[in-house]
Amino acid sequence: MRGYLFTRAWQSLLTLFLATAVVFLGIRALPGDPALALAGEDRSPEALAAIRAEYGLDQSVFVQFGRFAWNAVRGDLGTSTRTGVEVTAMLGTALPVTIELALLAILLATVLGVGAGTVAAVRRGRPAEWLANGLALIGLSVPHFWLGLVAILYLSVSTGLFPASGFVPFLDDPVANLHHIVLPVVILGTGLSAVIMRQTRSSMLDALGTDYVRTAKAKGLRPRAVIGRHALRNSLIVVVTIVGLQLGALISGAVVTEQIFGLPGFGKMTIDAVFQRDYPVIQAVVLVTATAYIGINFLVDLLYSLIDPRIRVGGAAA
Amino acid sequence: MSVLTVRDLSVVFRTETGPLSVVDKVDLSLDAGEIVGVVGESGCGKSVTAMSLTGLLPSSANVTGSAVLDGTELIGAPESVLRRVRGREVAYIFQEPMSSLNPVLTVGRQIGEVLRVHEGLKRRDARARAVELLALVGIPSPAHRVDNYPHQLSGGMRQRVMIAMAVACGPKVLVADEPTTALDVTVQAGILDVLRDLRERLGTSVLVITHDLGVIADIADRVLVMYAGRIVERAGVHDLFAAPRHHYTAGLLAASPVPGEHAGTHRLREIPGLVPVLVTQPDACTFAERCAAAEDDCRVQEPRLDPPGGSGHGAACWHPVRQRRGAAS
Amino acid sequence: MTTTTTVPDRGRLLRRLRRNPLAVVSFVVLTLAVLVAVLSPWLAPYAPEATDFGRTFTPPGTPGHPLGTDDLGRDVLSRIMLGMRASLTVGVLAVATALVIGVPLGLAAGYFRACDAVISRLADLMLAFPFLILAVGLAAIRGASLANAAVAIGIAQIPGIIRVVRSDTLRLKSLDFVAASVVDGAGDLWILRRHVLPNATSVVLVQATVAIPAAILGEAVLSFLGLGIQPPDPSLGTMLATAQQFAARAPWSAILPGLAIMLLALAFNVFGDSLRDALDPKGSTR
Ligand SMILES: Nc1ncnc2c1ncn2[C@@H]1O[C@H](COP(=O)(O)OP(=O)(O)O)[C@@H](O)[C@H]1O
Ligand code: SF4
Ligand SMILES: [Mg+2]
């Protein structure tokens, strides 16, 4: 266990360092002078020099990176070059929105995907499989942002069942919070569930054909026990991997969903920052994404070891 | 007293390329405490026969005929009846002890599961019984092993776990489908000993399925030889080795070194010719293409086991092998 | 050496596809869609940019405008036809980009043990990286355009291609005829080109068939966000972006382009699935 944590820790640090360094150096290698962008009206050489000095742009990129890294370790991610707001403060308001959206969406996607995938595998060749397969194919083919538009059109604008846009923090008003987040969660969650469903179906079909499932049937177990205790548990190993790999799709999806439903989240912050070359914010975004990647990989490993004794973390092999 | 009586058992699979007849009019009977061997080349329908008894085949299989277990007809019986038979009255051991055990559950849990479903034991009691059963099949320090996962056990131990699971509810019939094929030679003998021992102690009837004549010689009381979905010869184990009547059996024996002495070391060697896994000609001897003694009548009329339905020595052959007197070595 | 292939023969593949009604229907829809897209400059009843301020927001079914007009009085049918053309162009360009980079990497990862760890880890990392951030970055640096959108989407699809090509290469490498070539002293590159690549074609084909609809959806998202095809060029994504403002007034302008995207993507996905099934040696008995 200790060996595992140690390896994990230094791998994580390396990933964080590399991701940040590549982006840090990369955006500075781009054409375009950020000082010019910052200067606004006054583009006199003196003003530009002052800006460069203020943001440390007159030093070498390595010095700049060292300073950035040192500040980041101390919890200071700088201030937005656009708004002058502290980046940590921006993250403080944006991240809770996206984390809530992402967690609920991935939960919905997993429940729907694993459920429908299992049904499709078990009811192979029956109407239920056709239905589940068809829905998954549609889920893969439909532009989800468009579904969002249509949902706003018919469920918000015409009927007023849901608010069309905006966000209320959970702690301010839980009911209003959920009311605002339901539609975005459904749109994002169903989008992700198609992939999970297809993966579940195919690994369930594999599991149902295994020898140990034959053994379970030969023991006289009920189908429910054969499927739940024996087949599903084993196919979840693959499903967990796939769910873990949805991080990229989840963030991309969150960007679009936030855009459509006007949620002030991480996705919106990202798009704005990249468009406006807001370096400190871009760096923070990359740092957060890399951290999420590391965290999710760690979580996936933990889940593996819960499901599969053969890869138990630090467990003694026979 | 026959525990299991099978008559005219046939299995036809529906496939993409049309119906596929895999088992054809198989007769079989198993007395209490008897060990009967079914031997034949790979793909001749042994496993399908075994699985068909308790309805374990996929829904693409059409099973006809009769299989009566202690007065209960199994073929066509409702799923609820079959579920009570499986694991409680007819239990199975499969070839691959690794893949036949669930990798993510402890062996204690997998053994206990049978007891919980059929005897309604609580988790704790089922675990205690699992420890006893592990001891019964000769696993050292069973109280410790009960919490192991399959990957922590050796192949032989895994097969012992499979056996413990199979005998947990004291079944009337134990079907051992290639129980030693995947194991090292040194481990095979131990597994066969366990089966013999259980027969003595629990009075279980055992159907041993194998393509290994060594296993048959080692453990079986009686033997059924299967070829292309049909039983072609039925004999006591000594009669079979001493005086085979079907030409296929004779070919098998000729192709194998003398069995018995190094039990389990002799695998069936292929005898010349293509193996027709399918029952191709309904009105002919399926072995005719490969038989040196084949004559015209062999190709127009199907030979049936003689005497039909009995348990004496019989062969499904129009021109049986002539007995060489005293050649039984 | 006559059995140097594991690809099911073409006749059998076609027979299996023809027997599957879904495959036939999706193929017909695809063919029609591709024809409409390719011929749209000639087929479309109006020039897609032609405005008519006297006839804005006419509903579908209006004579002369079967699918109605938008906020500038442009013909929705014509714009959808040319939008499908743009979608297909991006889809094909993106997948071509992904194949050109992904196939060699996948072959290398599957064939040379030394490369595997690096390439596979890289693919995992890329998979976790949100493609939208990449696309936004590219648009910020090089400007928003059809080509840049296609490149961004193509890059995002590389890991998927690497994965399938890698696992198929691993499978092929273990087959007898490849092992036999190794024994015969054939060079690695020769074996890859002669044996592995031709046999991996079917998985690449299937992957491409499901990557194109994903790319089409990606294009729609990018154009919707203003990062892809730029107005007034017709694109299904930009049509939806404009329609968003007028959705309450002219719901059809928000619904129809989305349906067109879905139809296109669905036809590809259904056909890709049928192709996969038909190529599966286990067939329908799986
Ligand atoms: N589900 C199935 N569908 C079609 N054919 C099958 C199926 N299961 C088994 N078979 C065929 O039945 C024949 C006998 O198989 P089996 O009983 O497993 O042989 P063995 O004697 O080696 O145990 C084989 O030719 C096999 O291909
Ligand atoms: S019936 Fe004829 S063909 Fe068949 S084994 Fe006997 S002699 Fe040979
Ligand atoms: Mg078998």
Side-chain angles (χ1 to χ4, degrees), chain C residues 149-163:
Chain C
V151 168
I153 297 167
I155 292 175
Q157 291 186 328
I158 291 174
I161 306 272
I162 292 183
R163 285 181 147 224

Side-chain angles (χ1 to χ4, degrees), chain B:
Chain B
M1 173 40 202
S2 175
V3 176
L4 176 70
T5 309
V6 176
R7 287 281 169 266
D8 265 344
L9 183 76
S10 298
V11 180
V12 178
F13 282 104
R14 269 177 284 113
T15 71
E16 227 182 316
T17 49
L20 182 73
S21 174
V22 167
V23 173
D24 193 34
K25 300 188 285 286
V26 160
D27 285 357
L28 183 162
S29 76
L30 198 55
D31 286 349
E34 191 184 27
I35 301 187
V36 170
V38 178
V39 69
E41 282 157 309
S42 181
C44 71
K46 306 182 296 290
S47 298
V48 169
T49 305
M51 306 281 279
S52 68
L53 296 177
T54 56
L56 286 172
L57 293 175
S59 55
S60 61
N62 181 26
V63 183
T64 53
S66 148
V68 178
L69 178 81
D70 252 5
T72 310
E73 175 63 58
L74 299 180
I75 307 300
E79 203 38 40
S80 56
V81 171
L82 291 174
R83 245 193 337 258
R84 254 174 284 127
V85 170
R86 292 178 200 141
R88 194 169 71 156
E89 311 204 331
V90 178
Y92 290 84
I93 305 164
F94 298 109
Q95 174 172 348
E96 294 288 344
M98 182 70 229
S99 58
S100 296
L101 288 170
N102 191 328
V104 305
L105 299 176
T106 63
V107 300
R109 181 111 189 258
Q110 295 187 61
I111 297 170
E113 212 175 23
V114 201
L115 295 159
R116 296 180 68 188
V117 63
H118 289 304
E119 299 187 354
L121 293 193
K122 294 275 169 289
R123 183 176 282 232
R124 179 180 303 223
D125 301 334
R127 194 187 123 98
R129 279 286 302 282
V131 176
E132 291 169 23
L133 285 160
L134 288 175
L136 179 74
V137 296
I139 287 186
S141 51
H144 163 68
R145 288 298 182 185
V146 74
D147 291 323
N148 274 180
Y149 289 91
H151 73 275
Q152 296 170 305
L153 304 176
S154 69
M157 283 220 266
R158 284 183 211 134
Q159 196 60 301
R160 283 170 197 257
V161 169
M162 280 296 289
I163 296 175
M165 203 157 77
V167 298
C169 300
K172 293 175 185 137
V173 175
L174 186 60
V175 180
D177 189 348
E178 310 267 11
T180 59
T181 306
L183 302 176
D184 286 346
V185 176
T186 46
V187 183
Q188 290 189 3
I191 295 295
L192 295 182
D193 283 342
V194 173
L195 288 179
R196 238 189 319 258
D197 182 50
L198 288 173
R199 182 257 296 261
E200 299 299 333
R201 283 211 250 172
L202 310 176
T204 314
S205 313
V206 186
L207 194 66
V208 177
I209 291 174
T210 181
H211 63 266
D212 187 336
L213 279 172
V215 169
I216 294 289
D218 196 352
I219 197 173
D221 302 322
R222 287 194 301 120
V223 190
L224 300 168
V225 180
M226 196 163 183
Y227 181 79
R230 291 177 184 162
I231 302 291
V232 295
E233 182 155 3
R234 179 191 57 222
V237 68
H238 297 295
D239 291 345
L240 188 88
F241 285 104
R245 290 196 193 155
H246 197 277
H247 294 276
Y248 174 64
T249 316
L252 284 185
L253 291 174
S256 320
V258 181
E261 277 167 24
H262 315 282
T265 59
H266 312 305
R267 298 283 163 86
L268 258 191
R269 276 206 231 126
E270 298 280 303
I271 52 176
L274 209 79
V275 186
V277 288
L278 323 172
V279 185
T280 39
Q281 307 106 326
D283 294 323
C285 170
T286 42
F287 191 59
E289 296 306 313
R290 291 166 71 185
C291 182
E295 291 181 24
D296 290 346
D297 52 347
C298 302
R299 297 196 177 83
V300 292
Q301 209 174 356
E302 180 196 334
R304 296 299 306 266
L305 211 56
D306 167 52
S311 57
H313 193 166
C317 177
W318 294 123
H319 315 285
V321 180
R322 261 179 292 155
Q323 303 302 314
R324 294 169 294 149
R325 270 180 206 86
S329 62

